[in-house]
Amino acid sequence: MDTRALIDGEAGVDSEENDESFDEENADDERAERATNGTKDDLRDSSEEEEDDDDEEAAKAIREGFIVDEDEEEPEERERRKRREKKRRREEREREQEDLDEEDLDLIGEANPDFERRLPTEPKFKRLKRGHKEDQAPSKILDARDMFSDEDEVDDTNEPRTDALGRFRPEPRGLVDEFDDFIEEDDLTDDEEKFRRQEEREIGRVRAEGFTAGAAEASGLDEETLDTWREAFGDGEEYRWALDLEEEMEEQELAAQHVELKDVFEPSQLAEKLLTEEDNIIRQVDEPERFQLARKPYKHVVLTDDQFKEEALWISRMMPKKRLSEDLMDPFQKAVGKVLEFFVTDEVEVPFVFQHRKDYLIHAAKVAVTPDPNHPDAPEYVVNAEKLLNQNDLWNILEYDLKFRALIDKRNALQKTYDSLCSNSAIQDEVFEGMLPAAETIEELQDLQDYLYFQHSSHLKDITLVNGEAKANGTHRRPGAQKNMWEKIRNGKVYSLVRAFGISADAIAQNHLRIGRRQYTDDPSVRPDDLADSEEMMDPPEFSTGAQVLKAAKTMFAEEIAMSPRMRKAMRQAYFQAGLVECYRTEKGLRKIDEQHPYYAFKYLRNQQLSDIARQPDLYLKMLKAEEEGLVEVKVRLQRYDNFKQQLRSVMLSDNYSEIADAWNEARKEALDLALIKLNAIMNKAVKEALKSRCEDEIAASCREEFSKKLDQAPFKPQGMMLGTIPRVLSLSCGMGQPGRDATCWAWVEEDGRVLEHGKFTDLRFDEGAKSDFRELVQRRKPDVIGVSGFTVETRRLVLDIEKIVEEEDLRGAEFEDPDTGEDISKKLEVVIVNDEVARLYQTSDRAISDHPGFAPLTRYCVGLAKYLQNPMKEYAALGKDIVSITFHPSQQLVSQEKILKILETAMVDMVNLCGVDINDAVTDPYTANLLPYVCGLGPRKASAVLKSINSNGGAVQTRDELVGDAEQGKLPVVGPRVWNNCASFLYIEYDGAELTSDYLDNTRVHPEDYELGRKMAADALELDEEDVKAEIDEAGPGAIVRKLIKDEAQEKVNDLILEEYAEQLERNFNQRKRATLETIRAELQQPYEELRRNLAVLSTDEVFTMLTGETRTSLQPGMIVPVSIKKILNAERRLEAVLDCGVRGYIPEDEIAEHLNPDVNLNHLYTMHQAVQAKLVSLSRTQMEATLSVREEALRKPFRPQIDRMRDEWDELQEDRDREALQERSTATGRAQRVINHPLFRNFNSAQAEEFLGSQGRGDVVIRLSSKGPDHIAITWKVSDNVYQHIDVLELDKKNEFAVGETLKIGNKYTYSDLDELIVNHVKAMARKVDEMTTHEKFQSSSKTETERWLTTYTEANPKRSVYAFCINPKHPGYFNLCFKAGQHAGLSTWPVKVIPQAFELKGNAYPDMRALCNGFKLLFSNMQSGRR
């Protein structure tokens, strides 16, 4: 043991020395560890070899147990040294934090809400190490009990230690720190905390003081002997210089370390906040962000000039067919090529091309006009302009550009593989060489790849063995290490029989496609079976008989046909031209898909052409979803398949007439049939995938179109104001309540978005005080509009009440100038129902809570309504990725969220760039800043960098040129030149006539590249000559001419300019097409950034009905049988009033109660209040939100059948009838009568219908339904989470009769309840609360099990010394969660199931009342398991 180890050991000794609980086994382990460490120390410190004999004897004495006497280090010196160590470590941590600047720390705080920025004055001491036996151990072995600690390894030794119940616990020997923060401890009272800390201080003081005093006793020597030893060997101070030097070196190493964000956070957090190294590179590279992300997989692909030309033609063919005349096809292809040039060469995005290169999207042709003698000054020609490409086409071209790059990438990879094959094996394949350059789709290239690896697998394997492992990038794959059957046949004798078939697979395909001259089939001179029996063909041991040889030859020939790329191309063409889609129900589907099921629309669907499917994309995607659920089987077959097969036979069979020729033709037919079986399977899958992709694109395009309509809405236009003026809004809502019974919340929002007032009204119908308060508020604030919305049909009553008050009190909006008379007038306030799809998301969002922390959720909902009226586009932009929560298409959920989000982003990009963004507003207003990522050239990463750079430059932008930097004014570049070229015209700066540096054109849609054109047009409009222009510019700068035009209010003069001559001159002299650009400049000089969106749309009747009820025309229509709840029994009027689940009021007249109702019968004897009954919907008024219902038995006996408009051969009616009879027989065999349970939550649903019904409901919502297990069972279906539903079987006991609900309800022979209400509250709702507790816990991951395990792996890789666990939902077993954990970087992933039970969680048979107890219990169980293994 060296001196350093001795001193460290002294510093680290603590209560372990006096721990009486230390057992012999641990002692043995520690002795072994000390021996090992001692050896390592001796090997490490070579300076000991130079010591004299006395030193060696001293070291030996030390190893034999001598300990430094207590006099060698006074307590004061020891305390002083400890303070120095603590100070040094604190300075190290401070230096580490200094490497992170203030903004980085802010970003850290955003990414991790639990992160707290440490103040310099806050000391946090590291735990004192326990000496050399731990410091010099090869690696730290984690104890099971500290593997899943939620805290860092560095702890604070000042904190006392307690057990799981809050009691003080001593530190066991050898495990001082392993148990720290392992079990999450209960909070202690103040008295308990004081007592615990006092007790620990006393224990610590006794141990510290008793250490040196017990040194002599521990060593077994008396004081005199120790004094003699110290005199001989010294006290170790002569070695302190070495320790100090080592400490200095450690300090220098720590100072050299640079702490980055990745050292503080796990990768998933950095990726979520866009703070990874890759994100930083995207910020810095001068290229549009969206281009960088989209082209990332193809950065290595460089197109040649010929490929670039090929791409333009390829995209022209691939794009959806446009209705263009034949003479416009060539201009169309040229337009596509030009757009590609803008995207690829100029690197400008879609908005730039659409706004500033619009002339290239239009084909203008001059048409001569017949001279008119009466109008000699008439023009000689007129210009006919045809629009070739719109903005959607530009996005499609951009997407096709990526697909073409993927095509070229795969083609290049295949060409490289083939070149390698040729150079190494001297092989030439004419089929491959001829088809590779002509391949136009990824599918064709895949066919060629399959062909190449099938035809030349042995040679490719040799190349692989020579060159090493092949790349697994989707285009290279390693052929099988062992020879497959096809290789054996090709290299053996049997292949001679394959060649004897007389025609190749490629020749068959060429004959079918009529490529070149027909190739005829040759017949051998002997029969195929005789040839197979010959010795030349047999190849034992696999092919030792003639039958085996012939079978192998047929199979090989069939495989060659199936692998032929040209044959696959022929099959693919046939399938897409004459393919039919059919749907067949499975046995499971027979039971589950009844006439009320949404899948019934295609249960017996037959003979659907691909074009028909493409027109119903949602129907096809539902078919595929039903197939995934095992309810149906979707098949694609070839129409007139027998004719197609006969055509193939005709081009491959021999024309000879002989017995031998017939025998060979039979063999060829058999081989063809084998090949077609495989080809049909391949085509079936390929066509289904292609159709799926196309249908998903169609639905995504429909979502984009609908979103574009929502974005194309200007702020609500106040009366007498210009379109685009922001209104002052008073918004009200009663939420889920009922006006008059529940309070109505309101919020007043100014035009700048500030919420100046909010409050509540009691009853605006009958309460005069509330009416007076409402009148006073309106008269005081003078709103421009009153917005109302809510969650139920009662909202309509609130709208009527407010409209009545406005009418009675003659409440008017702000005054405005009458354009006819010039007088100030005002009009009655408008009351509008507001689309609340954004407000519903806003009210509970973190953004709303941050903006208005003291507001009630319903008040925040009102704020959302008001802001939607003020600017819908800003509200949609603020949603970010949550935009996919809004429904734009009924079948939107059938398409992946990534695809929907991507296409919705394009709509937002279009509209944001149409409207532009005030860059200075974006710097100061977070709502405006939300628009910045959608600006042309920018994105979320570059937008944040732009704001950061502008703030560094002073927080304001004076001109657009400043964005690329201004050295004279000390302005740093905000964006690079290329990004600036993209975004410059879409970031505007408000014009200030008093500032000479302010340029009017910076406030317009005019791009800086066209400023000179605008100034020239202004000079011509003012009729200034060159000398006047020069004088103005010399005096006031380049913008002086336009400034003079605005100052003189002479903008209207630009209308007198003949722009056609300008355009012709520019095209003639500079080869620039600027006709549309000149029109834009003229418009912008008169009205900069004029509002081009349409006025805010008023919701239609159907839209209001759907918003307040959640029902559409298909989900609620006359003829349906729906559950209703009786609300009023009116004996006098002889009618009933009820309410549907959606809130619509229903009326049941006397003639709809029963067939022949006795007038003397009291309706109270037939029905009770709040009784749930089934009723048929007779009629529905969507405007009044009222319905007429019928409860007559005759009406209820006729089930609702949705109208399915199908041709006779498109629906298998025979199979439908057979299935209906079979189900009726099964129902009759059970002998059960239809049962109705008298409970509001009862629905006559099966499990699938219950799940669909609960799909739009919240967690914990319940459906009570009949069970298939018999009349003494009830099924309870409740929503656990999105797309996760648990079905609970309830056994009924003590039933009064067959139809009554049992008085005792049992679940799993474990839980017993007396009625359904008790069961729902104490069982289902209790479990729902536990699920809420789980999903809101910090350890819960909202992702799948696979993603959670990936997160665990990433975490342990980033933190090798840590172990981690997390919970995630188990969708396969509703009611269960997965507890996933990883006990260190090199440990395997493990999963334990956690069951949710009423009032608790169950893990390994143990119940835990809350998440804290569950986490603690898991750690103890794992610790015990690890201890058991040891």
Side-chain angles (χ1 to χ4, degrees), residues 1141-1153:
D1141 287 338
C1142 61
V1144 172
R1145 292 180 177 273
Y1147 300 95
I1148 308 174
E1150 181 179 9
D1151 56 344
E1152 296 294 347
I1153 297 176

Side-chain angles (χ1 to χ4, degrees), residues 530-549:
D530 295 336
L531 187 59
D533 287 334
S534 64
E535 291 294 333
E536 293 81 4
M537 296 298 173
M538 290 190 185
D539 194 1
E542 288 89 353
F543 313 110
S544 55
T545 66
Q548 290 177 341
V549 171

Side-chain angles (χ1 to χ4, degrees), residues 13-15 18 70 75 78-79 82 201-214:
V13 174
D14 56 7
S15 61
N18 297 324
E70 62 178 343
R78 190 161 56 247
E79 289 296 323
K82 289 181 180 180
R201 283 197 297 269
E202 292 174 357
I203 294 173
R205 185 170 62 252
V206 170
R207 288 176 176 171
E209 294 174 356
F211 167 66
T212 55

Side-chain angles (χ1 to χ4, degrees), residues 753 755 842 847-856 860 863 867 927:
V755 183
Y842 175 78
R847 179 167 55 96
I849 296 173
S850 174
D851 293 344
H852 312 289
F855 288 15
R860 294 196 292 266
V863 174
K867 291 194 173 185
Y927 269 81

Side-chain angles (χ1 to χ4, degrees), residues 143 145-146 169 172 175-183:
D143 187 273
R145 289 166 291 186
D146 72 343
R169 55 181 171 87
L175 294 173
V176 175
D177 298 345
E178 265 88 8
F179 290 99
D180 278 3
D181 299 324
F182 173 65
I183 297 179

Side-chain angles (χ1 to χ4, degrees), residues 73-227:
E73 185 175 11
E74 294 297 328
E76 292 81 8
E77 294 178 1
R78 190 161 56 247
E79 289 296 323
R80 192 179 305 113
R81 184 168 58 81
K82 289 181 180 180
R83 286 195 297 271
R84 286 201 304 269
E85 286 290 316
K86 293 178 180 178
K87 180 179 179 181
R88 179 174 63 83
R89 290 171 181 166
R90 183 170 65 251
E91 290 173 351
E92 290 170 0
R93 289 193 298 272
E94 291 173 355
R95 282 197 299 272
E96 291 173 356
Q97 286 199 350
E98 286 173 0
D99 290 337
L100 297 174
D101 60 16
E102 293 295 322
E103 295 184 358
D104 287 337
L105 291 173
D106 291 338
L107 291 173
I108 291 173
E110 293 177 5
N112 186 359
D114 297 330
F115 177 81
E116 295 182 2
R117 292 173 59 176
R118 189 178 303 151
L119 298 177
T121 57
E122 276 186 299
K124 183 178 180 181
F125 302 102
K126 289 187 177 180
R127 186 164 57 224
L128 191 62
K129 296 182 179 179
R130 297 195 306 273
H132 68 280
K133 65 185 176 68
E134 287 185 1
D135 292 344
Q136 300 175 8
S139 62
K140 180 179 177 181
I141 301 176
L142 295 177
D143 187 273
R145 289 166 291 186
D146 72 343
M147 282 184 177
F148 302 99
S149 171
D150 294 335
E151 303 297 331
D152 294 332
E153 292 179 276
V154 177
D155 200 1
D156 192 341
T157 56
N158 294 332
E159 288 296 322
R161 306 180 184 278
T162 61
D163 61 13
L165 300 177
R167 300 181 298 236
F168 172 78
R169 55 181 171 87
E171 299 169 346
R173 184 182 184 90
L175 294 173
V176 175
D177 298 345
E178 265 88 8
F179 290 99
D180 278 3
D181 299 324
F182 173 65
I183 297 179
E184 301 173 17
E185 301 161 356
D186 297 331
D187 296 332
L188 301 177
T189 62
D190 293 341
D191 293 340
E192 290 174 330
E193 184 74 17
K194 291 178 181 178
F195 173 77
R196 189 185 71 174
R197 297 195 178 195
Q198 181 179 359
E199 184 181 12
E200 184 177 6
R201 283 197 297 269
E202 292 174 357
I203 294 173
R205 185 170 62 252
V206 170
R207 288 176 176 171
E209 294 174 356
F211 167 66
T212 55
E217 181 182 354
S219 65
L221 302 176
D222 56 17
E223 292 292 336
E224 183 177 354
T225 304
L226 286 175
D227 291 340

Side-chain angles (χ1 to χ4, degrees), residues 131 226 248 259 454 571 600 779 794 879 912 1063 1132 1174 1305 1428:
L226 286 175
E248 290 179 6
V259 179
F454 167 74
M571 287 288 291
Y600 195 82
Q779 292 175 345
E794 297 296 332
L879 290 178
V912 168
Q1174 298 291 316
L1305 306 176

